[in-house]
Amino acid sequence: MTRKEMTNGRPDTAKVLVTENLTMQFGGVVAVDKLNVVVHEGEIVALIGPNGAGKTTAFNVITGVYTPTNGRVRLFDRIIAENRPRGKMKALYKGDDAGQYKDDVVLTPDKITKLGVARTFQNIRLFKSLSVFENVLIAHHTNLKAGVLRATFGLNRKEEKDMHEKSMELLSIVGLDHLADEVSGSLPYGMQRRLEIARALATEPKLLLLDEPAAGMNPQETLDLMAFIRDIKDRFGLTIFMIEHHMNLVMGISDRIYVIDFGRQIAEGTPVEIQANPDVIRAYLGVDE
Amino acid sequence: MKKNFPASVRLTLSLIAAVGVFFLLFWLEGQRTEQGMLISILQKSVILSIAAVSMNLLTGFTGLFSLGQAGFMAIGAYVTGLIAMPVSSVDNVFYVSGMADGLRSFKESLSVLPTPLLITLALLAGGLIAAIFAALVGIPVLRLKSDYLAIATLGFSEIVRAIIAAPQLDRITNGSYGLKAIPGFDSGGGRGSLLIPFGVAVACITFIVLLIRSSYGRAFKAIREDEIAAEAMGIGLFKHKQLAFIISSFFTAISGGLLAMFMRSIDARAFQVTLTYDILLIVVIGGIGSITGSIVGAFLVTFAKEWWLRFFDQPLVINGFKVPLLRTGFRMVVFSIFLMLIVLFYRKGLMGNREFSWYRLLSWPARIGRRKKSLPSGDEEALK
């Protein structure tokens, strides 16, 4: 049973993730400025931009690490973040659309993960002193049904056994099953990246956010990663939203691309359109004046 | 895979050891007059080991550095003491201002229960009340991190102590006069002075070990390793920190209750910050993140402090020559040096974050032999 079959019956599943005028302002610095992104089910969408453009900040807002200053984030038909400038921010806010969003919805990252969003981190954040296997096993805790007492006295043996089996299965999918007992911090870089993806998959997400999955990889490893991302997308019926710098990877794998520069969205389109877009070329290469 | 014996061998060895310890304790109880000192040190060690393991659950496994142990032990001790104290001694103990009427009638209604049941109930009540306090205090305090959490919990612990000693509570806690006539472990009539504290400790520590091995324990470890990643994996930080804090406080209070039964008479001064430091010391010496380390540490520290180093406190004269330095209090100097040596040579405490394993214990002599033979370039990894 794939997850795709389970989600097909739901209404309005076409749009998995929608951000509306998403703005994140730290003091006087606008890190993300009116980001409007739509990610449809089954798509691979990339978010690109020069260093410091606000890509990771956008991810942090979507996953609940930050509360947006203004704007709204929807996951399927549910609002997972909504806010408007308040308190001190009212005076500081630089946008012109303040007050449009009346509700305030603040979900902590763990709640958003439970709703089906998993992520990886730009600078890998594994549970370093724990084993490879434990890293994946821990992520299954999200969907644990047993309470503390039941779990402590081992009364959820079947659930526990399922978790172990699923973890081992995930490890074999990402090709790390032979290293299950190794300390995760001792793995080579590329394997740590794979493990982080496996750990994210263990939370059984519908939307997977990858923050620079190919960082520090050579061209061959990047190609492998591309195939790997396609493979897990099909196998788990995922929708993927990723930040990436490797243009080969981005152009080769994405259905659509959003480009941001200094927090502002400057282009949107298919890889071919983006490659021809003068604004994008200007942002990446600079202009002669 | 770590090297180890097959499960059946380990189980057999553990069973033999458990039966051995049981009979040893049973025999010791019969020798109460000759072995009084040993018995009371064993009691104290095992009581502190519960507190140390509970602290390790927080510090070593969840990464929460809390210094509120003395406060929760005080709650446990006072609740246990108040409930377990026989109604007949109330007037003697509360001779200054008397006991509050409500509390007295509550105690009178409980006095129909047989003593063992009453004591069990008293210990559990102590744990539960401490757990409720932990839940309330945890709401603001657990949002803090590392040192700040330590200071906030330390403050809580001092507040508890001050409130207990406050004259306004004279009719409940007997203020600065403290509680007396708390039944001891042997009050049931039978042999219990060792078997009761050891039994309670085994139950408490087993629960904590099982908890750590469960999915919740893994979630605790994830929080210790990386809070941001743990949260991104769907582990609710507040919920799990709160859970660890409540469970740890529950068992800390049980340990406090046992301490009250051990001391027979308690007052607020017994629960100063130094008590927390004693437990912290045990956890650090044993190894932060090792349950067996905390247990070994509790016995080692208590035995060294209370017994093995006693002779340093007595003046010693050899052939008319009075050995210098040996006088009351010198024991603590030697004890401190001993602690420094342990920390210098075992940076992560005696056990690090490893647990007891029969294989490591039994292969110890062999490993020492090998270590001598190996070249200075040393294959450290192979030794592990």
Side-chain angles (χ1 to χ4, degrees):
Chain A
M1 179 185 63
T2 66
R3 213 159 293 124
K4 212 163 193 170
E5 289 162 4
M6 286 157 55
T7 49
N8 265 345
R10 292 169 62 152
D12 194 22
T13 48
K15 290 175 184 172
V16 176
L17 179 76
V18 180
T19 69
E20 297 171 24
N21 291 327
L22 193 68
T23 304
M24 185 72 224
Q25 186 177 334
F26 297 103
V29 180
V30 187
V32 178
D33 193 3
K34 287 191 206 162
L35 184 67
N36 285 289
V37 167
V38 180
V39 181
H40 299 273
E41 186 167 5
E43 266 188 324
I44 298 183
V45 176
L47 181 64
I48 65 171
N51 282 325
K55 305 178 296 287
T56 299
T57 308
F59 262 32
N60 282 340
V61 176
I62 294 168
T63 53
V65 177
Y66 300 139
T67 310
T69 314
N70 189 43
R72 183 186 282 157
V73 182
R74 281 173 184 276
L75 183 73
F76 297 106
D77 43 3
R78 183 173 173 157
I79 297 169
I80 57 170
E82 177 165 343
N83 199 10
R84 59 188 180 280
R86 274 180 292 175
K88 248 201 262 174
M89 203 32 97
K90 241 177 191 169
L92 284 173
Y93 187 61
K94 291 184 173 169
D96 47 13
D97 53 350
Q100 194 180 334
Y101 298 98
K102 297 295 179 213
D103 294 334
D104 29 37
V105 179
V106 178
L107 293 182
T108 48
D110 58 293
K111 301 247 168 59
I112 292 179
T113 303
K114 286 203 169 74
L115 292 173
V117 182
R119 72 173 292 184
T120 63
F121 294 88
Q122 190 178 352
N123 37 4
I124 306 173
R125 280 179 175 276
L126 288 172
F127 306 125
K128 286 203 179 62
S129 72
L130 303 181
S131 75
V132 169
F133 183 66
E134 276 177 304
N135 265 276
V136 180
L137 193 56
I138 282 169
H140 277 116
H141 182 73
T142 316
N143 300 316
L144 189 80
K145 289 187 189 66
V148 195
L149 290 181
R150 264 174 60 84
T152 300
F153 291 116
L155 299 175
N156 58 339
R157 199 157 291 171
K158 180 162 185 311
E159 195 178 20
E160 189 83 3
K161 197 168 148 251
D162 284 351
M163 279 163 67
H164 278 74
E165 279 168 6
K166 279 191 206 159
S167 304
M168 214 55 211
E169 204 183 307
L170 268 174
L171 280 180
S172 64
I173 289 171
V174 301
L176 292 173
D177 44 343
H178 59 295
L179 298 169
D181 291 323
E182 296 295 322
V183 176
S184 64
S186 69
L187 291 186
Y189 193 76
M191 288 188 179
Q192 292 198 8
R193 286 242 172 250
R194 274 172 181 255
L195 176 57
E196 221 193 7
I197 294 176
R199 188 181 66 174
L201 291 174
T203 64
E204 307 189 356
K206 300 177 187 89
L207 173 66
L208 181 61
L209 304 182
L210 301 173
D211 195 345
E212 297 201 24
M217 288 188 176
N218 64 32
Q220 182 54 46
E221 285 171 329
T222 309
L223 278 179
D224 292 346
L225 182 74
M226 204 150 101
F228 173 65
I229 292 175
R230 281 215 186 89
D231 175 49
I232 55 166
K233 175 189 166 278
D234 294 339
R235 194 191 289 255
F236 295 98
L238 295 172
T239 303
I240 292 177
F241 188 32
M242 62 191 253
I243 295 174
E244 191 44 71
H245 275 303
H246 279 239
M247 283 306 139
N248 290 343
L249 177 65
V250 172
M251 298 303 166
I253 201 172
S254 316
D255 297 312
R256 281 181 313 113
I257 298 171
Y258 287 88
V259 189
I260 58 174
D261 189 21
F262 293 111
R264 191 158 301 170
Q265 193 166 331
I266 59 172
E268 181 212 331
T270 62
V272 180
E273 289 165 3
I274 293 294
Q275 274 165 317
N277 189 312
D279 288 336
V280 177
I281 295 167
R282 197 176 307 134
Y284 268 88
L285 300 177
V287 274
D288 304 325
E289 290 197 50
Chain B
M1 280 300 281
K2 285 175 203 153
K3 272 194 225 167
N4 214 333
F5 297 124
S8 54
V9 177
R10 276 179 287 158
L11 190 69
T12 319
L13 283 170
S14 303
L15 273 178
I16 293 172
V19 171
V21 169
F22 179 81
F23 278 108
L24 197 66
L25 294 177
F26 197 76
W27 174 79
L28 264 177
E29 296 221 9
Q31 314 287 313
R32 203 165 306 165
T33 40
E34 303 94 72
Q35 302 290 351
M37 175 93 160
L38 178 61
I39 288 176
S40 80
I41 292 173
L42 280 173
Q43 286 170 328
K44 194 168 180 199
S45 306
V46 80
I47 290 168
L48 288 182
S49 76
I50 303 177
V53 170
S54 324
M55 185 177 194
N56 216 339
L57 171 67
L58 274 187
T59 310
F61 290 93
T62 322
L64 295 172
F65 187 30
S66 153
L67 290 179
Q69 275 63 32
F72 291 113
M73 285 179 87
I75 295 175
Y78 266 81
V79 173
T80 306
L82 279 173
I83 295 180
M85 185 196 301
V87 180
S88 52
S89 340
V90 164
D91 287 325
N92 274 331
V93 176
F94 287 74
Y95 67 97
V96 184
S97 17
M99 187 185 250
D101 301 331
L103 190 58
R104 177 188 280 271
S105 51
F106 174 66
K107 278 187 68 62
E108 271 160 6
S109 65
L110 281 181
S111 63
V112 292
L113 297 173
T115 316
L117 189 60
L118 185 68
I119 288 174
T120 315
L121 212 69
L123 284 172
L124 284 176
L128 285 176
I129 289 176
I132 291 169
F133 270 94
L136 294 175
V137 171
I139 293 170
V141 158
L142 289 176
R143 296 174 199 281
L144 302 171
K145 283 187 181 144
S146 60
D147 322 5
Y148 301 99
L149 174 66
I151 290 176
T153 46
L154 193 67
F156 165 76
S157 160
E158 284 296 281
I159 291 170
V160 168
R161 193 173 62 83
I163 289 179
I164 285 174
Q168 285 82 355
L169 290 182
D170 266 358
R171 285 165 63 77
I172 297 172
T173 63
N174 207 16
S176 53
Y177 302 101
L179 299 182
K180 292 176 190 65
I182 300 167
F185 297 120
D186 46 5
S187 58
R191 301 183 156 198
S193 52
L194 281 173
L195 294 181
I196 288 176
F198 272 81
V200 174
V202 167
C204 294
I205 293 171
T206 307
F207 182 92
I208 293 177
V209 168
L210 288 175
L211 173 71
I212 286 170
R213 287 190 184 169
S214 79
S215 188
Y216 285 86
R218 291 192 293 265
F220 293 162
K221 286 188 208 163
I223 292 174
R224 173 192 72 189
E225 295 286 312
D226 190 329
E227 287 196 0
I228 294 175
E231 206 175 19
M233 293 305 117
I235 296 167
L237 288 187
F238 183 69
K239 179 188 160 194
H240 286 85
K241 284 181 177 181
Q242 181 87 327
L243 195 63
F245 194 54
I246 289 173
I247 292 173
S248 168
S249 304
F250 178 85
F251 288 113
T252 307
I254 299 263
S255 156
L258 291 176
L259 195 65
M261 293 174 68
F262 168 71
M263 303 203 300
R264 308 295 298 271
S265 67
I266 53 171
D267 66 68
R269 270 165 305 176
F271 300 96
Q272 278 167 340
V273 187
T274 43
L275 178 62
T276 302
Y277 293 155
D278 281 345
I279 297 162
L280 177 64
L281 181 74
I282 289 171
V283 172
V284 172
I285 292 291
I288 296 172
S290 167
I291 297 290
T292 30
S294 291
I295 301 170
V296 171
F299 280 84
L300 200 67
V301 168
T302 314
F303 267 77
K305 211 164 148 183
E306 311 278 342
W307 193 11
W308 294 335
L309 301 178
R310 276 282 173 206
F311 73 94
F312 285 114
D313 274 5
Q314 275 126 34
L316 180 68
V317 180
I318 304 167
N319 287 343
F321 173 70
K322 189 171 181 292
V323 181
L325 293 175
L326 292 188
R327 70 189 58 154
T328 311
F330 185 64
R331 161 178 66 107
M332 291 317 288
V333 177
V334 178
F335 179 64
S336 308
I337 294 172
F338 159 78
L339 292 180
M340 282 187 230
L341 288 177
I342 290 190
V343 175
L344 275 175
F345 287 98
Y346 296 87
R347 296 271 159 95
K348 291 174 155 181
L350 292 174
M351 300 289 290
N353 55 7
R354 290 184 304 263
E355 293 298 345
F356 172 80
S357 107
W358 282 109
Y359 183 82
R360 279 188 65 83
L361 183 73
L362 298 180
S363 65
W364 193 36
R367 275 184 291 138
I368 285 181
R370 252 192 298 161
R371 190 174 302 181
K372 276 183 188 150
K373 263 180 262 164
S374 71
L375 291 167
S377 62
D379 39 0
E380 289 289 328
E381 280 310 309
L383 287 175
K384 285 171 194 166

